[in-house]
Structure formats: C-alpha cells, structure tokens
C-alpha cells in the first residue's frame, strides 16, 4: 500500500481512536493487509513513547476516497515482543553487533551510544575472554511455537473470565514472553530454543477492580496466579514452578499504568502499579516533579515490581529506596484487599504491614496502587568522576563519604577491570589510539602520573539539587577524595559511566553470540568487610571457573554501587568463555564472608535455599504463617522466597 | 562400627613421592662465599605490599584488634591506655623478628661449612620446592616442619635461601633468648620469640596473634612454626599444639584472605645430633639450659659423621579446601572481627582435625633409613634377653623381611636396592657404632661399655645397679628413638594385632572393641586422630588382608598360615607400651595421695625397682615421655583426676577401681566390653 494511503489511514485511525475513547493517539502502523478493496490495518496505540499497550485491528473499505469502517476489533494482543526482544535484553532495535568490517557497533537510535562504532570493544573482548569472533553461536531467531507446550486451561475459569471482559490470550508468544526474567540461565535457554513450563494464559487487567475480579475467580477455580510487571526479574521469580499442575495465569499489570492523582501539598502521587519507571518519571516531569527512583532497569521495570522485590534506585542517597518512597500500598490478596486507613508519614501501629508486602515477590497478592513521595525536579545536575590509585583507597574514600553523610545522589566505585571495560566502550570519536590498551596506558600515564593503569580505579558521581549547594557539595566530596589519593577525572567520564549502565545489559547478548556468557549479582555488607568480600568473591569466581574446566580465566569484577551508614552495596559481574556453575559458589562465598543474600534483586527461586540461613527458622516461620493466612491455597503459587 | 567396611583405601605402596637432590653437592664444588653473596630474588606473594620491619610493628600497634584489647585491659586495670600501649609495644619489641638478608648470608656461609663437615648429604625434593614457590606466589603460606632438632629451623631457612625462595619468619621459643648473641642472630634471620606460657595474659596473646596474622595476611613472609610445639625427644611425632594453627587459620575463616596454604615439611636425620642428650633428658638427667656455650660444646662433641638429612616439602594443603563443607564461616558475621572471641567447638574440632592431618602428612614423608629397621630387631632381641646378640646374617634376614613389610605398609624407606643387603646392614651399623657392639659376627646393643664414656661428669667410683641401669637405658632410649621413627607406619596394624591377641574370640565385633579400646588408650602416645576409630580399623584391616596376614569375612577375623610371623612382630611393636601403661596403672593403684609434680620421680623409682627385680622387661618404660602420655591418657579417660585450684592444687585423685580394671584390660585379663572402660 502506498505510503500516502498509509498516512491517510493513520489519520483515520486517530479519529477512530477518539471515537473509541482511547486515551492516546495511534503511534505506529504495525500491519496492513489488503485484499481487493478490503483492507485490514493493525495499529499500535501507545500511550507512551515506546511501549505497545493496545492494538486495534480495523477492517476498512479502502477503495473509496473516504474509507469506511467495516469492522473494528479491539484485540488485545499486547505484543511487547514486537518492540522488545523475546530472547535477550531490551528493545529489538538496539543491540551490539560486529559489522562487516569486524568493528563493534551499537544499533538503533534510542541511546547516546546508538549508531556508534566502538573500536576498543573487539580487542577487549578478545583479550579478556580469548573469544574468537570466528566462532559464533547465534540465537534461535524466532520462537518456534511448536516447542511450547499447549496451554492447560481451566475452562470454568476461562468462561467466567470472558464474561468480565478482561482481555486475555493463550497465544504461545505471549505466554513465552511472560515466562521468564533476565537471569543468565533463562536467556540462555531461550536462545537455545529450550522452553520449559510457561504460563497457560495471560490476562491484562486494566485497573484495581479488574484485579479483584481475577483474584476472586482464581480462588474460586483454583488457578495459579503469577503477577508480571516489567519482566526484569533477575532471581528466577517469574519462572513457572515446573511441578505446578494447575493452570498458571500470568497477570500482566502493564495496562494499569496511570497516575491517578498528584498531591502537591503533601508531595505525593497515587499511581497504578503497572507503570514503568521511565513513564512514571516522564509523566511526573511534565508536572515538574520526579520520584527520583531510578533502578538501572527503569526503562522496563514497574512500580509493582519494585514494591514486590524491594528495589533500590541509583539515587537513593537523596530520594531513598522503595521502602522510603512508599507512603501507601494497595494489594489484592486471596483474603481480600489490604491497605492502611490513612496516609500518615509514619505510624506506630505494630509491625508495619507494608513490610510484609514489600519483598513479597508476588507470593501474597497483586500490588495495584501505590502512593509515592514525589519531589520537585532538581534545578541542577552535575556529573563527576575521581580516579584512585587503587581499589582499597577508593573504598576507604567511599567509607569516609558515608561517615560524613555527604554522599552525592549517586556514588559508585568501579574496580580496575570494570574501569578498563568502560574504556573499551568508548565510541570512536574520542579514540585516536590504534590499540585500546595502548590508549589506556598513554591516557592515564600522561594524565595521572604514578598511577598504575592495572590497579587504578574510578568512582563516578552524580550531584543533584540547587546549583549553589551542588557546587559546595561537590567540593566537599572532592576534598575527601583528595585525602585518599583521588584525582578529579572530569564530568565526561562520570556521565559516560551512568549512560553505560543502560547499555551494558545489551552487551551480554553480544557475548552470548560468541560463547561468552556473563551474569551479575549484588549483595550488601558492613563496611569493614567490603574489601575482603570483593577480593574473595572475585577470587572464588576465578577458582571455580578453573576447577570446572573453563579454559580461559574469566572476567571477574565488581563495583560498589551504594553507600550506607553501616555498609555498602556491591555488584559483581563475571563473564567467561563457556559455561559453568559459578553463581551458587559465589553466593556461598558472599554469605560466608558476611555479605547479604540480596541488597535489592530479591530472592525469587534462585536464592531460596539460603533463606532459612539468612533470616533464621523463626523468621521463616513468621513469613510462612503470613503466607498461610493470606493465601492458604497458594493461589499466588510462583513459589518464591519460601 | 565398621560394619560397612569399605576397603577403598588407596594402596600405600602406590603413594607417589618425589625424587631427592643433594644440595650439599654443589656446595662442595663451588665457593661458599660466592654462594653466600649470590643474587637473591625470591618470588613473592602476588598481593604483597612491601613493608619494613618497623612498619610492621606500627601496623600491629595500630590494629583494631590490639586497640580493642588495650582499651579492655586499661579499663580492667585502671591504667591509661597509653600505658597499656607502651606495654604492648614492649612485648612486641621483645617478640619481633628483624629479618635481614646480611645475617642470612652470614648463616648461609657458616652453615655451609658446618653442614659439610657434619653431614654426608642434605637431600631435598626439588619438585616440592617448585610447588612451594607457586604456593607462595598465590596465597599466604605457612611452613610446618617436623621438629626433631635445634637444626631444623636454621636448616629450613638455609634451604629456602639456597633455592631462592622467600625466607620465612619463624616462631621460636623464648629459651633461645637466653643465648644473647645467638638469640639476636636468630632474630635477624627471621625468628620471632614467644614466651612458653602466657596463659591468661590477654594483652600478650593479642599482640602475638595480631603480629602473626599481619605478617601472614600481608604476605610479608611465609610464617613457619612447629606444629608439635617442641622438639620431639623420642622421634615420635608429638600431639599437635593448636594455638598457632588456630591463629594462622583465622584470617581465612574470617574472610580476610581468600586462602592460606599450609605446607608440611618432613625433616629426617639419619643420625640426630641430640641423640644421647634426648635420652638423658627422658631419663631425668636434667637438660642443660639452652645456653650458647652449651650449644657449642654439643657441636664439639658431635663433630663426627651424622650421615644424611632428608627434607621433603609436602603438598601444600589449602585451608579453604580443608574447611569446605566442614566449617560454617558465616558464624563470624555477627561480631566485628576485631573483637577477640573464643573459637567455637566446631572451629576447635576443625583445627584439631586439620592439625592431625598435617602431622600425618609430615609423618608420611619422613625418610626412613635401614638402621630404623635394625633398631626394631635389636630392641626386640634385647628385651628378649638374648645375651649373646644376634648373628649378622640373621639380623640381615630379619631386616630384609621388615623392609618388605614396611614397604607394603607404605613406608618411605630409603634402602639402596642395588647394594647387597648384608652391606646395607653393616654400613648402617658402622654409622651408629656408638650404639651397637659387634663381636664374632654377632650384634647387640652396646649396653656395657657406655658408662664412663657417654655420661661425662658422672661421679666415678663404684657404679650402683641403678646407675648401671640408667646407663643402659641411655643406649636403649637412643636406639628406640630410631625405631620410633617408623612406629607411625606400623601403629594401626600393631593395634589390630594386639587387639586380636587380647580379644577373647575371633569375632570381628569383639576385635573391633579391643582395637577401639587400645586406640583410645594410646591416643596420647601416637598420632591417632580423634574420632577416626572406624577409619583406622578399616585401614589396619585393609593392610593386613592385603599382605596376606588376615582373612576377614562378615563375622570373623582369621589369621593365615604365614600371617603368624607378621602378627608376632606387630604385637611386639606395641608390647613395650602396653607393659609400660600397665606399670603406670599399677604404680598409681599403690599410691595414696600424689601430686602431679611428684608423679614422674615416683613412677620412675617404681619402674627402676621393677626393672631391677626383673618383673619388667622393657627398659624403655623409663622414658618420661611414655609416663607422661600414660598419665595424660588416664586423666582423659577419667581414671585420674587433676585437682585444679584450692588447697589441693595439682593433687591427683585416683579412681582405683578403674585403674585396676584398665591394668587388667591392658594385660588381656579382662575382655574389653566387660571392663569399666568399654563404655567410656
Ligand atoms: C539490567 C537490569 C538492571 C537492574 N537494575 C536494578 C536496580 O538498579 N535496582 C533494583 O532494585 N533492581 C534492578 N534490577 C532487578 C529488577 O529490575 C527489579 O527486581 C525490579 O523491581 C523488577 O520489577 P519488574 O516490574 O520488572 O518485575 P517483574 O520482573 O515482572 O517481577 C518481579 C517479581 O515481582 C512480582 N511482581 C511484579 N509486579 C507485581 C505486582 N504488581 N504485585 C505483586 N507482585 C508483583 C512478580 O511476580 C515477580 O515475583 C535490574 C534488572 C536488570 C535486568
């Protein structure tokens, strides 16, 4: 169909949409088919910039000058997979690849790195992993629906569900898409085309009441429900328990994505739990506010997901973690709806029931609405970076910053390996060196005399607030850094560091194309153990790889991502050429050294076996009895946590 | 019980061991001076941040650990923390090593000269040194040599210097400090000094443990100490001491380092420098205070042929792998790590088991010379009162038989197979000519002539029978110290043989009971890891079945035709100890009121009486080592109780019923399961 017609059609659709009282204008034409004079068009109606929310299929009579609508089916295929990868991270259009010239490139238009050549990446990858670009293991390109088990449907449930008008689907792609999070093993299996137990049905409630109905029906017909937010879980929380024999229904919250009200007097906003981080921020920004909650996954993860996993955002030093941000929560459980009767800023009414909900990981019910604190948008933002002669000095500096309680919005410390990696990701423009390592050496040796490029490490900083205060704050932090041998290394390096956090997740897919697999995990620990844990866990990874016969030494690196009064949060990354059983051992090492089971990713099923050890048998019993009371029939049967 | 007997032991015959190189050979062919001045650039720990001796002390004094204890002590004693810090600094001053290369070079030079005159060769397994080098590079290293001689630690440093390996810092007893010059010299070659007892002194303990840990954690130098705590006077390994091992394992357990390598080192002397000295000590002739002049005198007396030394650097043992699935390290998570805490039961038993493992690793790689086997034969003959001695060819036949047996049991025997056995025997005898007499082709221990020669300073005049006995005993104990070197090879089979001997029937269960009783009884005497009765029983069964001595089926243990000789030998191995422990029991039964201090002199007198009247055959029972071990065992079993504190401090409370019963059981008069001790 000629483009002119397409354009016209879009216009028509706009009218149509207002007739259908949809909240938004059509965003993209997704499919146009014509047969004779009849045509069907399929429009994505997206409330927000890059998220498919609704698809409307319209049959029109296209021959005439004024196309006439024949039928209009409101079909609810919420094919996130049309803009997002079904077997990798993020948007389909954004990925790392090696182009014909063998140079690394990041595709798409969404990120600052998009469309750029990254000359150092190849050398870094080859030298770090001894990876050979000749040896490729491409992922299965499309989902083979026949590999997906046919759904086990609970007919009675389905029948009543239909009568409620709440959209649902048992299409294989929809089900597979909601069957996993982003753990290495989950993505690895998808790439290999291996598909295990997936939900039998997906439902899209549009509001709190829809959820109430669904939960009631689920209880009535003994159906297992798994809430699904943004799908960014990294704890196997979304995996369907293979032993589950009941029909499993994935409850996709993506349609519950409105800000219901903003209260400027109290600086709170009441928001539906399915809203995704970037949308929440953008919409609030339009009114001059923000929540300041920015987990690295904020492009895709949802408010309900944050509450359910006790998420932590990069700028928690100013805004707090999710538990600090939440004022009120509404959750639908098999026993009914739980919420507090007022929105007081703090209460002493026995143990805080919010704390049963936060971190419940979808085992107790569905979070539907949340009142959150909001803040006026900051007047001024400034990035920064500091280079330290070694990691030990860096940690000592962060500790001092925490002691003086003057941490900027974000302060992160990368170890040497990660610092090098960051350099490998420099796009072409800024690199005049022939070889990545040479460049690194030249740059740092000339700039930071006496620093060993194989030991130095970098902290990235983000300051926020009013201009004056930011500048003052900045000076204070740089002064402390200087006491620990830290030298200011510029705003650019800092900004690039933060920008990279969004694209790093994409890199794993590139690695997997070349037999390199990687994973990250986090923990929290008291200050006095930071160095020991970093050293021991990295050494353990190296050792396990060796013991398990991994031919080349792995990349094993870490970064301190948050500071607290009494400790810090550390992220570990490892990657190596070929497979192994490293995660288990790493966690064992963390726990043995006094680190926590998780700082913010949660327990899911991945870390369940350590729960008892972590919170004691009595603690387990407490959680268990809550579960038994709230959900005696295990309707929320994702089997996380306990 | 051993019901599910899994005979899956690795055949000890197949044990792989490295070859030896003689390091003195090069010394004999090139300049000692050049060697002492050679370029020395050892491989160091990869995580090392180099620091000076003085900085090290600062680190200790400024450590959180010490700071905590200083505050505590200053509160308790009501003095300022500055004062306590001063005290700590003084302790550290007294303790600290001052390792410097020039002193080591000086020692390298002088020791080259000394070693070349004393020894024929010093043989090292060079592969072990390569492993050690790797270990030093990767992790903090603890060197754990066996301890049979004063020489040991000088020898260790000498070897490490020669092979360009990192020089260790060595935990040494304070007694060396008495020798002013030597003490300081040793300090400068890496020794640091620890008081022998500092029981309740918190501050001392804190300074000491922190000092060791800091050196270890920072990879400053390998830390060397003797697991046995002191030199073994009997050449049997001593029950390991756990204090220092606890300290060096701590940084791993608390996650301060990724891993620590423990390297057992076995040093075997063909002839011990201190041979007669030890024997006299064991007999209660007071040991000369370890003074400089004493050492030099010793050297003068001993300027003769001491054969060769073998030093075997064992496989490094990773503390991490020892702890794997044994220790729950998260137990340290809830208390800040700088606050001293008493190790939990779990940790203590872990450290204890590890210590036994390490001592066994030392034992396994001790090189045994043919003379060790001859000592078995000669002592047994002596006890059997064969006055006229043993014919040379009979001795040779028996030695060859023992050679084959011990090899089957996995002994690390250095028997030159290319030389006819008779020559091997005669050259062994000639190296130890002080201990044997050969006349008319017959060999026996040199018991008569000893008197005036070996015990100088003894009053002349008529020799009393008691003095004569003690003189004999010097030779017998000297000889026993060689036999003892191989006891670890035979101990499990010997316990089994004795169990078969004493058990009322050949039922396996009954034999196991006897075995378990004996093993329990002798676990202060030999290295028998607590709690490993079943494994030891299975190991013994395995060896005796494999060598055709026994046949074992579901229910019964049967002795084969050719098994009798082996069993007879094995029972005779344990017999002196069995008899000795019985005498000690008898002695105690006849006492009323005895303090711990009085015990040794009194029991000695009692034994001398028994020996002189011929009621006791084994002169070696005079060894105070045996007597002490027996007492410790009886205390452990509850037959004797040591009263602590109060008026009666140090008094031994005796349970005579039990002592009687133990004596009878040891003598085979009471079946083990009926005796009082069966259910201990
Ligand atoms: C690249 C990447 C970066 C990340 N960075 C961060 C970070 O910086 N900070 C951080 O905290 N986490 C981070 N995560 C982890 C993840 O994003 C968080 O756990 C997030 O909170 C999950 O939200 P989601 O909406 O994607 O939930 P999902 O993955 O869909 O679900 C997670 C769990 O919550 C339950 N759940 C979801 N919604 C609801 C609801 N409405 N009611 C009840 N239960 C519900 C699900 O059943 C499941 O058990 C990261 C993950 C990735 C892949």
């Amino acid at each position: 169909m000629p483009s002119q017609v397409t354009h016209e059609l879009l216009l028509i659709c706009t009218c149509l949409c207002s007739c259908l009282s949809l909240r938004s204008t059509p965003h993209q034409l997704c499919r146009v088919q014509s047969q004779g004079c009849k045509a069907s068009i399929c429009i994505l109606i997206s409330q927000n910039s890059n998220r498919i929310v609704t698809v409307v299929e319209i049959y029109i009579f296209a021959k005439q000058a004024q196309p006439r609508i024949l039928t209009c089916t409101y079909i609810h295929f919420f094919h996130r997979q049309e803009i997002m990868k079904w077997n990798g991270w993020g948007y389909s259009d954004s990925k790392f690849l090696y182009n014909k010239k063998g140079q690394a490139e990041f595709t798409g238009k969404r990120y600052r790195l998009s469309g750029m050549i990254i000359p150092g990446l190849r050398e870094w990858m080859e030298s770090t992993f001894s990876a050979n670009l000749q040896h490729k293991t491409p992922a299965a390109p499309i989902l083979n629906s026949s590999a997906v088990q046919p759904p086990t449907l609970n007919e009675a449930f389905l029948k009543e569900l239909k009568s409620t008008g709440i959209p649902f689907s048992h299409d294989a792609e929809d089900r597979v898409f909601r069957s996993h999070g982003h753990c290495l093993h989950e993505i690895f299996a998808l790439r290999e085309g291996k598909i295990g137990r997936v939900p039998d049905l997906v439902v899209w409630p549009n509001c709190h009441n829809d959820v109430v109905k669904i939960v009631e029906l689920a209880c009535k017909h003994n159906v297992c429900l798994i809430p699904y937010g943004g799908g960014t879980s990294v704890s196997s929380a979304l995996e369907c328990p293979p032993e589950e024999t009941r029909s499993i229904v994935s409850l996709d919250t993506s349609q519950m994505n409105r800000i219901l009200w903003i209260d400027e007097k109290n600086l709170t906003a009441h928001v539906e739990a399915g809203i995704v981080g970037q949308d929440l921020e953008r919409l609030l920004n339009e009114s001059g506010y923000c929540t300041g909650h920015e987990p690295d996954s904020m492009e895709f993860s949802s408010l309900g997901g944050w509450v359910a996993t006790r998420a932590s955002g990069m700028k928690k030093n100013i805004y707090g973690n999710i538990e600090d941000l939440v004022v009120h929560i509404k959750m639908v459980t098999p026993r009914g709806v739980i919420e507090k009767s007022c929105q007081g800023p703090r209460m002493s009414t026995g143990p805080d029931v919010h704390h049963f909900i936060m971190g419940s990981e979808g085992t107790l019910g569905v979070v539907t609405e949340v009142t959150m604190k909001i803040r006026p948008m900051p007047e001024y933002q400034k990035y920064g970076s500091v280079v330290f002669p070694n990691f030990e000095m860096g940690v000592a500096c962060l500790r001092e910053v925490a002691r003086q309680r003057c941490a900027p919005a974000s302060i992160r410390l990368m170890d040497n390996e990660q610092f090098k990696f960051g350099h490998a990701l420099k796009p072409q423009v800024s690199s005049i060196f022939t070889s990545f390592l040479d460049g690194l050496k030249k740059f740092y040796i000339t700039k930071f005399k006496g620093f060993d490029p194989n030991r130095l490490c970098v902290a990235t900083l983000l300051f926020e607030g009013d201009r004056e205060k930011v500048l003052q704050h900045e000076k204070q932090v740089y002064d402390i850094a200087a006491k620990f041998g830290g030298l200011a290394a510029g705003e650019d390096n800092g900004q690039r560091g933060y920008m990279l956090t969004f694209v790093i997740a994409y890199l794993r897919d590139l690695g997997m194309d070349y037999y390199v697999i990687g994973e990250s995990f986090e923990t929290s620990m008291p200050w006095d153990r930071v160095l020991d844990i970093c050293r021991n866990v990295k050494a353990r990874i190296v050792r396990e790889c060796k013991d398990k016969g991994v031919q080349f030494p792995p990349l094993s690196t870490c970064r301190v991502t948050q500071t607290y009064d009494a400790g810090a949060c550390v992220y570990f990354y490892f990657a190596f050429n070929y497979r192994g059983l490293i995660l288990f051992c790493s966690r064992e090492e963390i726990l043995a050294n006094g680190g926590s089971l998780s700082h913010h990713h949660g327990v899911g099923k991945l870390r369940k076996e350590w729960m008892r050890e972590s919170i004691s048998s009595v603690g387990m019993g407490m959680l268990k009895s809550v579960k038994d009371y709230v959900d005696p029939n295990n309707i929320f049967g994702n089997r996380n946590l306990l | 019980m051993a019901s599910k007997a899994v005979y899956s032991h690795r055949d000890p015959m197949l044990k792989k061991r490295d070859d030896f190189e003689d390091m003195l050979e090069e010394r004999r062919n090139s300049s000692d001076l050049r060697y002492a001045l050679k370029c020395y650039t050892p491989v160091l720990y990869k995580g090392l941040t180099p620091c000076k001796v003085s900085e090290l002390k600062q680190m200790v004094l400024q450590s959180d650990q010490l700071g905590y204890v200083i505050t505590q002590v200053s509160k308790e004693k009501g003095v300022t923390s500055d004062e306590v810090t001063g005290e700590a600094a003084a302790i550290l001053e007294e303790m600290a090593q001052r390792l410097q290369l020039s002193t080591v070079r000086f020692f390298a030079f002088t020791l080259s000269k000394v070693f070349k005159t004393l020894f024929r060769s010093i043989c090292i397994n060079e592969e072990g040194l390569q492993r050690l080098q790797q270990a030093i590079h990767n992790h903090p290293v603890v060197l754990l040599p066996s301890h049979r001689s004063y020489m040991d630690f000088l020898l260790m440093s000498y070897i490490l210097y020669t092979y360009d390996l990192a020089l260790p810092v060595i935990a040494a007893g304070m007694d060396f400090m008495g020798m002013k010059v030597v003490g300081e010299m040793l300090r400068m070659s890496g020794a640091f000094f620890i008081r022998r007892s500092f029981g309740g002194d918190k501050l001392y303990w804190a300074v000491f443990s922190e000092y060791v840990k800091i050196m270890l954690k920072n990879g400053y130098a390998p830390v060397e100490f003797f697991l046995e705590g002191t030199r073994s006077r009997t050449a049997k390994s001593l029950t390991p001491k756990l204090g220092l091992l606890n300290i060096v394992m701590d940084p791993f357990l608390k996650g301060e380092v990724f891993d620590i390598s423990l390297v057992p080192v076995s040093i075997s002397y063909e002839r011990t420098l201190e041979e007669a000295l030890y024997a006299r000590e064991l007999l209660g002739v007071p040991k000369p205070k370890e003074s400089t002049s004493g050492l030099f005198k010793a050297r003068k007396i001993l300027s003769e042929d001491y054969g060769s030394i073998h030093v075997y650097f064992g496989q490094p043992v990773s503390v991490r792998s020892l702890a794997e699935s044994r220790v729950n390290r998260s137990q340290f998570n809830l208390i800040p790590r700088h606050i001293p805490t008493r190790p939990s039961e779990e940790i203590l038993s872990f450290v204890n088991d590890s210590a036994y493992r390490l001592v066994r690793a030392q034992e396994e790689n001790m090189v045994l010379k043919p003379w060790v086997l001859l000592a078995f034969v000669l002592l047994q003959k002596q006890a059997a009162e064969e006055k006229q001695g043993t014919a040379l060819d009979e001795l040779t036949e028996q030695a060859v038989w023992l050679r084959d047996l011990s090899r089957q049991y996995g002994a690390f025997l250095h028997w030159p197979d290319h030389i006819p056995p008779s020559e091997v025997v005669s050259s062994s005898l000639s190296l130890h000519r002080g201990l044997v007499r050969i006349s008319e082709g017959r060999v026996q221990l040199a018991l008569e002539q000893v008197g005036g020669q070996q015990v100088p300073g003894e009053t002349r005049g008529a020799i009393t029978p008691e003095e004569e006995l003690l003189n004999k005993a010097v030779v017998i104990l000297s000889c026993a110290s060689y036999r003892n070197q191989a006891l670890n090879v035979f101990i499990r089979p010997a316990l089994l043989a004795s169990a078969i001997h004493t058990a009322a029937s050949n039922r396996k269960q009954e034999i196991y009971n006897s075995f378990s009783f004996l093993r329990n009884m002798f676990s202060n005497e030999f290295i028998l890891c607590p709690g490993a009765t079943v494994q030891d029983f299975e190991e013994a069964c395995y060896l005796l079945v494999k060598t055709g001595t026994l046949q074992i089926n579901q229910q019964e243990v049967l002795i084969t035709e050719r098994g009798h000789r082996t069993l007879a030998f094995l029972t005779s191995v344990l017999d002196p100890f069995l008899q000795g422990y019985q005498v000690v029991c008898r002695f105690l039964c006849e006492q009323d009121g005895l303090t711990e201090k009085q015990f040794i002199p009194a029991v000695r007198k009692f034994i001398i009486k028994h020996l002189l009247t011929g009621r006791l055959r084994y002169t070696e029972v005079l060894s105070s080592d045996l007597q002490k071990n027996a007492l410790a065992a009886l205390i452990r079993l509850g037959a004797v109780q040591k009263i602590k504190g109060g008026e009666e401090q140090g008094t031994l409370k005796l349970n005579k019923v039990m002592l009687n019963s133990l004596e009878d059981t040891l003598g085979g008069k009471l079946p083990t399961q009926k005796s009082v001790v069966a259910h201990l």
Side-chain angles (χ1 to χ4, degrees), chain A residues 455 526 528-530 532-533 535-541 543-544 588-595 613, chain B residues 45 49 252-259 318 320-321 324 328-338:
Chain A
R455 298 196 64 192
D528 71 317
R529 293 173 196 256
V530 172
D532 288 333
I533 294 189
R535 177 197 344 93
N536 289 356
V537 172
K538 289 198 284 180
R540 178 75 182 255
I541 291 168
R543 218 210 42 200
E544 292 298 332
E588 195 179 71
E589 192 63 32
I590 287 177
L591 297 179
N593 284 280
E613 192 186 316
Chain B
Y45 174 49
T49 338
F252 165 73
L253 294 173
K254 295 201 175 143
E256 294 169 332
V257 294
F258 181 70
D259 200 356
S318 136
R320 174 172 278 270
S321 45
E324 208 161 274
N328 177 8
R329 284 186 282 150
S330 61
Q331 63 187 282
F332 301 104
N333 291 349
L334 296 181
I335 301 174
R337 290 173 295 178
H338 65 270

Side-chain angles (χ1 to χ4, degrees), chain B residues 23-38 108-109 112-113 116 158 162:
Chain B
M23 68 182 283
L24 280 188
E25 196 175 299
E26 205 189 318
R27 292 279 45 74
R28 296 191 204 279
N29 298 325
S30 67
S31 153
D32 285 337
L33 191 61
R34 198 170 309 137
Y35 154 79
L37 296 176
K38 76 180 176 131
F109 181 76
S112 294
K113 303 282 181 212
K116 279 188 285 188
Y158 181 78
T162 307

Side-chain angles (χ1 to χ4, degrees), chain B residues 210-259:
Chain B
E210 201 45 30
Y211 183 58
V212 175
K213 280 188 220 170
I214 285 190
M215 289 194 291
L216 186 70
K217 279 193 293 195
N218 292 5
Y220 174 83
V223 171
E224 176 179 315
F225 67 90
F226 299 105
L227 262 179
E228 299 164 282
T230 177
R231 290 168 298 148
S232 165
R233 273 66 168 169
T234 58
K236 271 186 301 153
S237 296
L238 304 178
T239 307
K241 303 275 178 298
L242 305 182
L244 258 163
L245 192 60
N246 229 321
I247 291 177
V248 298
M249 284 181 146
D250 195 63
F252 165 73
L253 294 173
K254 295 201 175 143
E256 294 169 332
V257 294
F258 181 70
D259 200 356

Side-chain angles (χ1 to χ4, degrees), chain A residues 89 182 226-234 237-238 253 273 295-297 301-302 304-306 308-309 311-312 361-362 365-367 505 571 600-601 638 640:
Chain A
W89 177 253
H182 282 271
I226 299 185
Y228 182 88
T232 64
S233 159
V234 277
L238 293 169
T253 59
D296 291 356
S297 58
S301 58
S302 69
W306 303 335
T309 60
S312 166
E361 303 192 355
V366 186
V367 176
Y571 241 88
H600 59 267
H601 282 168
N638 60 17
N640 293 338

Side-chain angles (χ1 to χ4, degrees), chain A residues 205-225:
Chain A
N206 191 45
C207 61
H208 171 77
N209 285 340
D210 282 357
V211 175
V212 173
K213 282 182 209 152
I214 294 167
V215 173
E216 269 169 17
L217 289 180
C219 291
K220 183 168 168 197
H221 300 289
N222 195 21
V223 161
C224 172
L225 285 181

